[in-house]
Amino acid sequence: MLLPLCTWSEIEQFLGRSRTIVIPIGSNEQHGPIGLLGTDWMCPEIIAHEAQKSADILIAPTFNIGMAQHHLGFPGTITLRPSTFIAAICDWVNSLAAHGFEKILFLNGHGGNVASIEAAFSELYAQASFARRPAGFALKLCNWWDLEGVGELANRQFPKGHGIHATPSEIAVTQWAYPQHIKSAEYSPAIANWGPIREAADFRARHPDGRMGSDPGLATPEKGRELVMLAAQGLVQAVEAFSTEPSPY
Amino acid sequence: MLLPLCTWSEIEQFLGRSRTIVIPIGSNEQHGPIGLLGTDWMCPEIIAHEAQKSADILIAPTFNIGMAQHHLGFPGTITLRPSTFIAAICDWVNSLAAHGFEKILFLNGHGGNVASIEAAFSELYAQASFARRPAGFALKLCNWWDLEGVGELANRQFPKGHGIHATPSEIAVTQWAYPQHIKSAEYSPAIANWGPIREAADFRARHPDGRMGSDPGLATPEKGRELVMLAAQGLVQAVEAFSTEPSPY
Amino acid sequence: MLLPLCTWSEIEQFLGRSRTIVIPIGSNEQHGPIGLLGTDWMCPEIIAHEAQKSADILIAPTFNIGMAQHHLGFPGTITLRPSTFIAAICDWVNSLAAHGFEKILFLNGHGGNVASIEAAFSELYAQASFARRPAGFALKLCNWWDLEGVGELANRQFPKGHGIHATPSEIAVTQWAYPQHIKSAEYSPAIANWGPIREAADFRARHPDGRMGSDPGLATPEKGRELVMLAAQGLVQAVEAFSTEPSPY
Amino acid sequence: MLLPLCTWSEIEQFLGRSRTIVIPIGSNEQHGPIGLLGTDWMCPEIIAHEAQKSADILIAPTFNIGMAQHHLGFPGTITLRPSTFIAAICDWVNSLAAHGFEKILFLNGHGGNVASIEAAFSELYAQASFARRPAGFALKLCNWWDLEGVGELANRQFPKGHGIHATPSEIAVTQWAYPQHIKSAEYSPAIANWGPIREAADFRARHPDGRMGSDPGLATPEKGRELVMLAAQGLVQAVEAFSTEPSPY
Amino acid sequence: MLLPLCTWSEIEQFLGRSRTIVIPIGSNEQHGPIGLLGTDWMCPEIIAHEAQKSADILIAPTFNIGMAQHHLGFPGTITLRPSTFIAAICDWVNSLAAHGFEKILFLNGHGGNVASIEAAFSELYAQASFARRPAGFALKLCNWWDLEGVGELANRQFPKGHGIHATPSEIAVTQWAYPQHIKSAEYSPAIANWGPIREAADFRARHPDGRMGSDPGLATPEKGRELVMLAAQGLVQAVEAFSTEPSPY
Amino acid sequence: MLLPLCTWSEIEQFLGRSRTIVIPIGSNEQHGPIGLLGTDWMCPEIIAHEAQKSADILIAPTFNIGMAQHHLGFPGTITLRPSTFIAAICDWVNSLAAHGFEKILFLNGHGGNVASIEAAFSELYAQASFARRPAGFALKLCNWWDLEGVGELANRQFPKGHGIHATPSEIAVTQWAYPQHIKSAEYSPAIANWGPIREAADFRARHPDGRMGSDPGLATPEKGRELVMLAAQGLVQAVEAFSTEPSPY
């Protein structure tokens, strides 16, 4: 079920059978010469929407702007500061918790979000911890590439040139979902270099076309399809495991 | 052009011919017995996406969670506090301004957002005002129902029972765009009552099924199509007028 | 009753007969060639102080600095950022609510405050909404020019040249109350132009003497007296209606 | 000159002859059995308004709500949290600095404000300090009772029972200015006890009628007049000294 | 007892016999030509650690960075803005209060901290005051030089040239504790000048070597020993008095 | 060099030969039945202080309170909320950057800090990124157990029962440095269980004595010495590598 396509009473009914919800979360940021700016929020959205076709799981609207300050040197990137990002995640969680959701899983599509999402979780839990009471909800972060079997598949598909930003795996996923928006461009070297991640001007100086360690030209829609199908399956399993995890209380 | 489906170099090229961008902004909140939770962010998204098919305008990702605290009494509603909402709008605008966008138009789908969006604009302008320098960007808020001719059309389509929340016009727009998600439900009275808007518990006590003054059953996909086509045209005009507005400097 | 001229035990007694309080709120900002910098906070203060002479209503101290960032290009303007303004309104309301006030009416004198006041109300209500409990108070915003009959009177008094900033009606009110501070100045054109409201430098470039659409020279103390008397009456009615409004619980 | 009773061009002219401004700042809080709730903001306002009658000094609007959390146990008290108070002072100063004011003197009427005002000053200076640049303004805090000779006069007037809250000196000042609002009440003991200042419930438990160490019944309007006249003179001297203080640069 | 050298169960046991804790708090900032950058946090740490050798009192880790914006013109100074400092103190207190500590004494080593610490206390108390409930904890600020007899001793030791920053008394304390880090330098004049405290650039212009009114060369380790022994004794008394202070409830 | 034991002019001289500084950062939190509450800030402090004995590197004061909300169920734990922690790190870095430090290395002793430290780095870099200018500084996070060879040594020392909280390696480090504070206690099972990290009440329910996966009884001072010596060497190398890293500009 896609929450935005439901009525409130359909959600009320869903809460009668499950207290778990999945939030696709990503970023809108440059993805090199051929990657789409929306890649990082589209990937978890694509996977989550696929997953709910075959399982009774609930998918929230997509949290589409993340922590991408280091990409601001490239037009089209939109970022939240970590402090804003944390505040927004707190409001999303507090809204859902008010309705009785007890297990909230963020399916993440952007490595740069991880630290701020985890900081947000701690900010949320801290309210309960200072008050020495249970939080009433459990939070989980899953990167889509960490879902069961997905990393292995990507390694088989792209034994060289996968890299960590504008990777062929994420681009393949968007190629499968948006076949009319497959881009091509000349770039060199074939595999981009690596480096530390700091402010935007530093990033662009190190990575002139935006890639980090990747050869996005290896992506194909078919490889994307394989990744989505496996990840969707992995998400259903992750939701099931999270939903049935026993409480320590 | 849809920004998330572009590469960063396509946006770089766009900036060579225009400095204007449109951000669809709405809310994810209860919309009565048959309205979709995503209605308020879907409507501006649908209209903006339609508009860019026939004009060279750029559409940002959709800002899909707004100020909906008063709807938290109904499952599925997600809200930002005004303070978080303001911080997030500031980060979006500062990101886009860093790329050289000078005219940023928020196409809004939720009346409850208006005050906080305007407060955010003032927060953004204030930085320049305290420093006694130009801001470098101009911001504009357009509600989709205020686009040229749209209000008149809605009045003709729904002379009675339009109301102000879960209106047949917004529901018609989503029915046209998501025909497989048209819902039906029994509700009474046909036209809902009105009242002040305060905290969520007060709102639900006054409006037990979530509607305010509306009869959503009047919506049809065909009426939605008419609204979208007219609004898309109005948006193109609004973007053109905003883009060519002379600077006072 | 004027709260600052009471002792705490007089307020304790008042709370035994009413739970309503009025807060005059405005701004300290340029008002064109002859308007006083304090115009926008003086007007609601003048009206509220007049109203309490003939009715048992309680008037709080005046909230005298509002959201006036766009006027910072003119000496004497003092503004709060919207974020500060919202925080301050929250503290005022939480203070009064702690004493048992349940109906808090802001009598506003500055159009530029409206968005931020409404955002503050939502910020306040949101605390209760996230917790799914009643707020314990109801908030109301009344612009003094919207009180019963006042707009009509101003239209009759100033059929042309009323405008929206440094208006003859607000200046007339201060002329009646502060007859020793009536100013005069040469200005042209007689009726000032209009335009969008953005950062301070933009505002001053568009409106070199600070007026928007108005001819303040039309103001007279006698017209001010008429406005004050009618508005004071309207305020008493508004307080009565608000105080007796039934709860939905 | 009273800033709110001036036009912006009068302030522009004033800036040609002086860069100094005085802000009366206080609190709206319980003042024992006969003290007015507005005592702490009225006193500096009364003194500052008196001072400008005989000297060319500029008085800002009164900052009338301060840090009075410990008095919230008594109806009518309104407080800002220190964090809000600091933010508001920053906005006031940044507004005035934008106009070219270089010496900003806060004439304070509430001991409980002192820490938060000084913290606000540091917050303001810190912006310049982190950037290793001059601030462009100097800030000064003067309590009215510390103006030249005032403390000695109060000691002579009230050798016993002056205390530190709801003192006869501050009540005398308001009696002189607001003779129609002189209150009387029975209270005992004649001189109230002392104690630490903590949260509101603790304060009310320790000080059931709100006084700290004082016998407010000793106040008379005539003593108030003496205090005001001396303090007004002291303020003029303080402004002169501050205005002519040499810069270290 | 030094809390960081205990296990959690030792603290659990301590809470069975006392609800009081001491937090040494200071600043890391320039201390003139021969003073150590850590002087202001070392002094209260040295004294508190000495005191717990002879009494069953509990010492928290040292809060070592305070409000020192005015010293940023000198390398090695690290400061928190007042707003950050207040937030951090709130978190320390809320952590300790969650464990049941009811009396929290800050032993302070930096005059520049006083305002922000007191503002933090009010911020903490305000939460209880708005809610009209007891705070559950009492907070106390003691500057080490105000402990019983310490000021008198310092006056006897340094009848001239004590000053207020980089004083011989504080330097003597660190000389006793860190004899291998006693520095010497040429400086003149022997006794430094005084002045107002504003932004860092202003401070350095007024006080080129960082001292205010002091001659640090008067310090000796032996004088430091005397100060520490007396202050440690005074701290034990202060803790005893605070611990046994009756509640007003 | 230990910064707090230097004068400001010694730091000024150091800046002439290096622009790098090390900040030991940790947490004050429960460490199981025999671990010290200060373990996580003592370990990086011990290692950094050791390292500077043999190399010309500069060590800042220790940042001793981190993000430990999940340990608040055990007495003695003190935590900052992530939002406070981020603000404090920003102030530390901005202070040091004001002096000209260009490479700031945080030597971390607490896994729970990692996300919030990285979020703080992004918050700091974002200021430069929004302004499209270089930041002027580079930030690096090193966990002490990730220094060259340290993880391997710990694995050899503790092939079983190392775990992730209250580990024998961190306890060994403190045993070597504080031999008079070696504790012992009965606990079972020998090796503690694992689980997710959420709010404090959840944590204590899952981990009744505070350990996660560890058998702290395996610690010995001698093993601690080995770890410290190797880590100190690794830190010197890390500082050297960071200091000489070429700029991309």
Side-chain angles (χ1 to χ4, degrees):
Chain A
M1 280 171 69
L2 300 179
L3 182 142
L5 294 174
C6 296
T7 64
W8 68 262
S9 52
E10 288 170 332
I11 303 303
E12 197 168 60
Q13 289 160 37
F14 180 85
L15 280 159
R17 47 189 208 274
S18 168
R19 297 295 175 128
T20 304
I21 189 166
V22 175
I23 302 175
I25 189 166
S27 177
N28 195 84
E29 62 183 46
Q30 70 86 10
H31 268 78
I34 67 164
L36 307 183
L37 281 153
T39 301
D40 277 0
W41 61 264
M42 288 169 171
C43 287
E45 182 177 282
I46 291 162
I47 292 161
H49 287 209
E50 186 64 30
Q52 58 87 44
K53 290 181 187 165
S54 60
D56 184 26
I57 63 176
L58 182 64
I59 313 299
T62 300
F63 195 119
N64 54 14
I65 302 296
M67 213 308 295
Q69 64 81 23
H70 47 302
H71 293 302
L72 276 176
F74 297 90
T77 299
I78 305 175
T79 188
L80 301 181
R81 287 167 291 162
S83 51
T84 307
F85 192 43
I86 290 170
I89 291 173
C90 288
D91 288 359
W92 282 58
V93 167
N94 285 327
S95 295
L96 294 168
H99 302 313
F101 288 101
E102 294 170 358
K103 300 279 172 77
I104 302 175
L105 186 152
F106 286 78
L107 183 66
N108 180 43
H110 175 46
N113 282 352
V114 171
S116 294
I117 292 174
E118 290 183 352
F121 288 2
S122 296
E123 189 84 14
L124 280 155
Y125 288 136
Q127 298 177 24
S129 297
F130 279 117
R132 304 200 70 160
R133 58 164 175 77
F137 51 78
L139 308 170
K140 192 177 205 72
L141 170 62
C142 289
N143 300 310
W144 68 262
W145 55 84
D146 291 329
L147 290 167
E148 183 73 26
V150 174
E152 291 78 357
L153 174 57
N155 283 342
R156 283 198 307 276
Q157 290 177 331
F158 311 106
K160 280 179 56 177
H162 188 272
I164 61 164
H165 183 66
T167 65
S169 62
E170 62 190 351
I171 288 172
V173 167
T174 62
Q175 285 181 339
W176 174 71
Y178 296 91
Q180 292 170 318
H181 295 276
I182 298 176
K183 313 286 166 115
S184 65
E186 309 258 314
Y187 53 85
S188 73
I191 299 181
N193 65 328
W194 299 64
I197 295 179
R198 293 178 184 150
E199 78 271 28
D202 179 286
F203 189 97
R204 187 153 183 175
R206 292 178 194 275
H207 308 286
D209 68 6
R211 295 174 295 145
M212 292 187 78
S214 71
D215 178 0
L218 303 170
T220 67
E222 172 56 20
K223 288 177 182 162
R225 193 192 58 77
E226 291 170 7
L227 288 162
V228 171
M229 294 307 147
L230 191 63
Q233 216 172 296
L235 177 58
V236 173
Q237 290 164 18
V239 169
E240 173 69 13
F242 189 30
S243 298
T244 56
E245 182 191 285
S247 163
Y249 294 112
Chain B
M1 283 171 68
L2 300 179
L3 184 141
L5 293 174
C6 295
T7 64
W8 68 262
S9 53
E10 288 170 333
I11 302 304
E12 196 167 58
Q13 288 161 37
F14 180 83
L15 281 160
R17 47 187 207 274
S18 169
R19 298 295 174 128
T20 304
I21 188 166
V22 175
I23 302 174
I25 188 166
S27 176
N28 195 84
E29 61 182 47
Q30 70 86 8
H31 269 78
I34 68 164
L36 308 182
L37 281 154
T39 300
D40 278 357
W41 61 265
M42 287 169 173
C43 287
E45 182 176 282
I46 292 162
I47 291 161
H49 287 208
E50 186 65 29
Q52 58 86 44
K53 290 180 186 164
S54 60
D56 184 26
I57 62 176
L58 182 63
I59 312 300
T62 300
F63 194 120
N64 55 14
I65 301 297
M67 213 307 295
Q69 64 82 23
H70 46 302
H71 294 301
L72 276 175
F74 296 91
T77 299
I78 305 175
T79 189
L80 300 181
R81 288 165 293 162
S83 52
T84 307
F85 193 43
I86 290 170
I89 290 173
C90 288
D91 287 0
W92 283 58
V93 167
N94 284 327
S95 295
L96 294 168
H99 302 314
F101 287 102
E102 294 169 359
K103 301 280 173 72
I104 302 175
L105 187 152
F106 286 79
L107 182 66
N108 181 43
H110 175 46
N113 282 353
V114 171
S116 293
I117 292 174
E118 289 183 352
F121 288 1
S122 297
E123 189 85 12
L124 280 156
Y125 287 135
Q127 297 177 24
S129 297
F130 278 116
R132 304 200 71 160
R133 58 165 175 74
F137 52 77
L139 307 170
K140 191 175 204 74
L141 170 62
C142 287
N143 300 310
W144 68 261
W145 54 85
D146 291 330
L147 290 167
E148 183 72 27
V150 174
E152 292 78 356
L153 174 57
N155 284 343
R156 282 198 306 276
Q157 290 177 331
F158 311 106
K160 282 181 54 178
H162 188 271
I164 60 164
H165 183 66
T167 65
S169 62
E170 60 190 354
I171 288 172
V173 167
T174 61
Q175 286 181 337
W176 173 71
Y178 296 91
Q180 292 170 316
H181 294 275
I182 298 176
K183 315 282 166 117
S184 64
E186 309 259 314
Y187 53 86
S188 73
I191 299 181
N193 65 330
W194 299 65
I197 296 180
R198 293 178 185 150
E199 78 271 27
D202 178 286
F203 189 96
R204 188 154 182 174
R206 292 178 193 275
H207 308 286
D209 68 6
R211 294 173 297 144
M212 292 188 78
S214 71
D215 179 359
L218 302 171
T220 68
E222 173 55 20
K223 288 176 182 162
R225 194 192 58 78
E226 291 169 7
L227 288 162
V228 171
M229 294 306 146
L230 192 63
Q233 214 172 299
L235 177 59
V236 173
Q237 290 163 19
V239 169
E240 173 69 13
F242 190 30
S243 298
T244 56
E245 183 191 283
S247 162
Y249 294 112
Chain C
M1 281 169 71
L2 300 179
L3 183 142
L5 294 173
C6 294
T7 64
W8 67 262
S9 53
E10 289 169 333
I11 302 304
E12 196 168 61
Q13 288 160 38
F14 180 84
L15 280 160
R17 48 188 207 275
S18 168
R19 297 294 175 129
T20 303
I21 188 165
V22 175
I23 302 174
I25 189 165
S27 177
N28 196 84
E29 62 182 46
Q30 70 86 10
H31 269 79
I34 67 164
L36 307 183
L37 281 153
T39 301
D40 278 358
W41 62 264
M42 289 169 171
C43 287
E45 182 177 282
I46 293 163
I47 291 162
H49 288 210
E50 186 64 29
Q52 58 86 44
K53 291 180 187 165
S54 60
D56 185 25
I57 64 177
L58 182 62
I59 313 299
T62 300
F63 195 119
N64 55 13
I65 302 295
M67 213 307 296
Q69 64 81 23
H70 46 302
H71 293 301
L72 276 176
F74 297 91
T77 299
I78 304 174
T79 190
L80 300 181
R81 289 166 291 161
S83 51
T84 307
F85 192 43
I86 289 169
I89 290 173
C90 289
D91 288 0
W92 282 58
V93 168
N94 284 327
S95 295
L96 294 168
H99 301 313
F101 288 101
E102 294 169 359
K103 301 279 174 75
I104 302 175
L105 186 151
F106 287 78
L107 183 66
N108 181 42
H110 174 45
N113 282 353
V114 171
S116 294
I117 293 174
E118 289 183 354
F121 287 3
S122 297
E123 190 85 12
L124 281 155
Y125 288 136
Q127 297 176 25
S129 297
F130 278 116
R132 304 200 71 160
R133 57 165 176 77
F137 52 77
L139 308 170
K140 190 175 205 73
L141 170 62
C142 289
N143 300 311
W144 68 261
W145 54 85
D146 291 330
L147 290 167
E148 184 71 26
V150 175
E152 292 78 356
L153 174 57
N155 284 342
R156 281 198 307 275
Q157 290 178 329
F158 311 106
K160 279 180 55 177
H162 187 271
I164 60 166
H165 183 67
T167 66
S169 62
E170 60 190 352
I171 288 172
V173 167
T174 62
Q175 286 181 337
W176 174 71
Y178 296 91
Q180 292 170 317
H181 295 275
I182 298 176
K183 314 285 166 115
S184 66
E186 308 260 313
Y187 53 84
S188 74
I191 299 182
N193 65 329
W194 298 66
I197 296 179
R198 293 180 184 149
E199 78 271 28
D202 178 285
F203 189 97
R204 187 154 183 174
R206 292 178 194 275
H207 308 285
D209 69 5
R211 295 173 296 145
M212 290 188 80
S214 71
D215 179 359
L218 302 171
T220 68
E222 173 54 21
K223 288 177 182 162
R225 194 193 58 78
E226 291 169 7
L227 288 162
V228 171
M229 294 307 146
L230 192 62
Q233 213 172 299
L235 177 59
V236 174
Q237 290 163 18
V239 169
E240 173 69 13
F242 189 31
S243 299
T244 56
E245 181 190 286
S247 161
Y249 294 111
Chain D
M1 282 171 70
L2 300 179
L3 184 142
L5 293 174
C6 296
T7 64
W8 67 262
S9 53
E10 289 170 332
I11 302 305
E12 196 168 60
Q13 288 160 37
F14 180 84
L15 280 161
R17 48 188 205 275
S18 168
R19 298 295 174 128
T20 303
I21 189 165
V22 175
I23 303 174
I25 188 166
S27 177
N28 195 85
E29 62 183 47
Q30 70 85 10
H31 269 78
I34 68 164
L36 307 183
L37 281 154
T39 301
D40 278 357
W41 62 263
M42 288 169 170
C43 287
E45 182 178 282
I46 293 162
I47 291 161
H49 287 208
E50 186 64 29
Q52 58 88 42
K53 290 181 187 164
S54 61
D56 184 25
I57 63 175
L58 182 63
I59 313 299
T62 300
F63 194 119
N64 55 13
I65 301 296
M67 213 307 296
Q69 65 81 23
H70 46 303
H71 294 300
L72 276 175
F74 296 90
T77 299
I78 305 176
T79 190
L80 300 182
R81 288 166 293 161
S83 51
T84 306
F85 192 43
I86 290 170
I89 289 173
C90 288
D91 288 359
W92 282 58
V93 168
N94 285 326
S95 295
L96 293 168
H99 302 313
F101 288 102
E102 293 170 359
K103 301 280 174 73
I104 302 174
L105 188 152
F106 286 79
L107 183 66
N108 181 42
H110 174 46
N113 282 353
V114 171
S116 293
I117 292 174
E118 289 183 352
F121 287 2
S122 296
E123 189 86 11
L124 280 155
Y125 288 136
Q127 298 176 24
S129 297
F130 278 117
R132 305 200 69 160
R133 58 165 176 76
F137 52 76
L139 308 170
K140 192 176 203 72
L141 170 62
C142 288
N143 300 310
W144 70 260
W145 54 85
D146 291 330
L147 289 166
E148 184 70 27
V150 175
E152 292 77 355
L153 174 56
N155 284 342
R156 284 198 307 275
Q157 290 177 331
F158 312 105
K160 281 180 55 177
H162 188 271
I164 60 165
H165 183 68
T167 66
S169 62
E170 60 190 353
I171 288 172
V173 168
T174 61
Q175 286 181 338
W176 173 71
Y178 296 91
Q180 293 169 316
H181 294 275
I182 298 175
K183 315 283 165 117
S184 65
E186 308 260 312
Y187 54 85
S188 74
I191 299 181
N193 65 330
W194 299 64
I197 296 180
R198 293 179 185 149
E199 78 270 28
D202 179 285
F203 188 97
R204 188 154 182 174
R206 293 178 193 275
H207 308 285
D209 68 6
R211 295 174 295 145
M212 291 188 78
S214 71
D215 178 359
L218 303 170
T220 69
E222 173 55 19
K223 288 177 182 161
R225 194 193 57 78
E226 291 169 6
L227 287 162
V228 171
M229 294 305 146
L230 192 63
Q233 212 171 301
L235 176 58
V236 173
Q237 290 164 17
V239 169
E240 173 70 12
F242 189 30
S243 298
T244 57
E245 181 191 284
S247 162
Y249 292 113
Chain E
M1 281 171 69
L2 300 179
L3 183 141
L5 293 174
C6 296
T7 64
W8 68 261
S9 52
E10 288 170 333
I11 303 304
E12 197 169 60
Q13 288 160 37
F14 180 84
L15 281 159
R17 48 188 206 274
S18 168
R19 297 295 175 128
T20 304
I21 188 166
V22 175
I23 303 174
I25 188 166
S27 177
N28 195 85
E29 61 183 46
Q30 69 86 9
H31 268 79
I34 67 163
L36 308 183
L37 282 153
T39 300
D40 278 358
W41 61 263
M42 289 169 171
C43 286
E45 182 177 282
I46 292 162
I47 292 161
H49 288 209
E50 186 65 29
Q52 58 87 42
K53 291 179 186 165
S54 60
D56 185 25
I57 63 175
L58 182 63
I59 313 300
T62 300
F63 194 118
N64 54 14
I65 301 296
M67 213 308 294
Q69 63 82 22
H70 46 302
H71 294 301
L72 276 176
F74 297 90
T77 299
I78 305 175
T79 189
L80 300 182
R81 288 167 291 162
S83 50
T84 307
F85 192 44
I86 290 169
I89 290 173
C90 288
D91 289 359
W92 282 58
V93 168
N94 284 327
S95 296
L96 294 168
H99 302 313
F101 288 102
E102 293 169 0
K103 300 282 173 74
I104 302 175
L105 187 151
F106 286 79
L107 183 66
N108 181 41
H110 174 45
N113 282 353
V114 171
S116 294
I117 293 174
E118 288 183 353
F121 288 3
S122 297
E123 190 84 12
L124 280 155
Y125 288 136
Q127 298 175 24
S129 297
F130 279 116
R132 305 200 70 161
R133 57 167 175 76
F137 51 78
L139 308 170
K140 191 176 204 72
L141 170 63
C142 287
N143 300 310
W144 68 262
W145 54 85
D146 291 330
L147 290 168
E148 184 72 28
V150 174
E152 292 77 357
L153 174 57
N155 284 343
R156 283 199 307 275
Q157 290 177 329
F158 311 105
K160 280 180 54 176
H162 188 270
I164 59 166
H165 183 67
T167 66
S169 62
E170 60 190 352
I171 288 171
V173 168
T174 61
Q175 285 180 339
W176 173 72
Y178 297 91
Q180 292 169 317
H181 295 274
I182 298 176
K183 314 284 165 113
S184 66
E186 308 259 313
Y187 53 85
S188 74
I191 299 181
N193 65 330
W194 299 64
I197 295 180
R198 292 178 186 150
E199 78 271 28
D202 179 285
F203 189 97
R204 187 153 182 175
R206 293 179 192 275
H207 308 287
D209 69 4
R211 295 173 297 145
M212 292 187 79
S214 70
D215 178 0
L218 304 170
T220 67
E222 172 55 20
K223 288 178 182 162
R225 194 193 57 78
E226 292 169 7
L227 288 162
V228 171
M229 295 306 147
L230 192 62
Q233 215 172 296
L235 177 58
V236 173
Q237 290 165 16
V239 169
E240 173 69 12
F242 189 30
S243 299
T244 56
E245 183 190 284
S247 162
Y249 294 112
Chain F
M1 283 171 67
L2 299 179
L3 184 142
L5 293 174
C6 295
T7 65
W8 68 262
S9 53
E10 288 170 332
I11 303 303
E12 196 167 60
Q13 289 160 37
F14 180 83
L15 281 160
R17 47 188 207 274
S18 168
R19 299 293 174 129
T20 304
I21 189 165
V22 174
I23 303 174
I25 188 165
S27 177
N28 196 84
E29 61 183 46
Q30 70 86 8
H31 268 77
I34 68 164
L36 308 182
L37 281 153
T39 300
D40 278 357
W41 62 263
M42 288 169 171
C43 286
E45 183 178 282
I46 293 163
I47 292 162
H49 286 208
E50 186 65 30
Q52 58 87 45
K53 291 180 186 165
S54 61
D56 184 25
I57 63 175
L58 183 62
I59 313 299
T62 300
F63 195 120
N64 55 14
I65 301 297
M67 212 307 297
Q69 63 83 23
H70 46 303
H71 294 301
L72 277 175
F74 296 91
T77 299
I78 305 175
T79 189
L80 301 181
R81 289 166 292 162
S83 52
T84 307
F85 192 43
I86 290 170
I89 290 174
C90 288
D91 288 0
W92 282 58
V93 168
N94 285 327
S95 296
L96 294 169
H99 302 314
F101 287 101
E102 294 169 358
K103 301 281 172 73
I104 303 174
L105 187 152
F106 286 79
L107 183 66
N108 181 43
H110 174 45
N113 283 353
V114 171
S116 293
I117 293 175
E118 289 184 351
F121 287 2
S122 297
E123 189 85 11
L124 281 156
Y125 288 135
Q127 297 177 25
S129 297
F130 279 117
R132 304 200 71 159
R133 58 167 175 75
F137 52 76
L139 307 170
K140 191 175 204 72
L141 169 63
C142 289
N143 299 310
W144 69 262
W145 54 84
D146 291 329
L147 290 166
E148 185 71 26
V150 175
E152 292 78 356
L153 173 58
N155 284 343
R156 283 199 305 276
Q157 290 178 331
F158 312 105
K160 280 180 56 177
H162 188 271
I164 60 165
H165 183 67
T167 65
S169 61
E170 60 190 354
I171 288 172
V173 168
T174 62
Q175 285 181 339
W176 173 71
Y178 296 92
Q180 292 170 318
H181 295 275
I182 298 176
K183 316 282 166 117
S184 65
E186 309 259 314
Y187 53 85
S188 74
I191 299 182
N193 64 331
W194 299 66
I197 296 180
R198 293 179 185 149
E199 78 271 27
D202 179 285
F203 189 98
R204 187 152 184 175
R206 292 178 193 274
H207 308 286
D209 69 5
R211 295 173 297 145
M212 291 188 79
S214 71
D215 179 0
L218 303 170
T220 69
E222 172 55 18
K223 287 177 182 162
R225 194 192 58 78
E226 291 169 7
L227 288 162
V228 171
M229 294 305 147
L230 191 63
Q233 213 172 299
L235 177 60
V236 174
Q237 290 165 18
V239 169
E240 173 69 12
F242 189 30
S243 298
T244 56
E245 182 190 285
S247 161
Y249 293 112

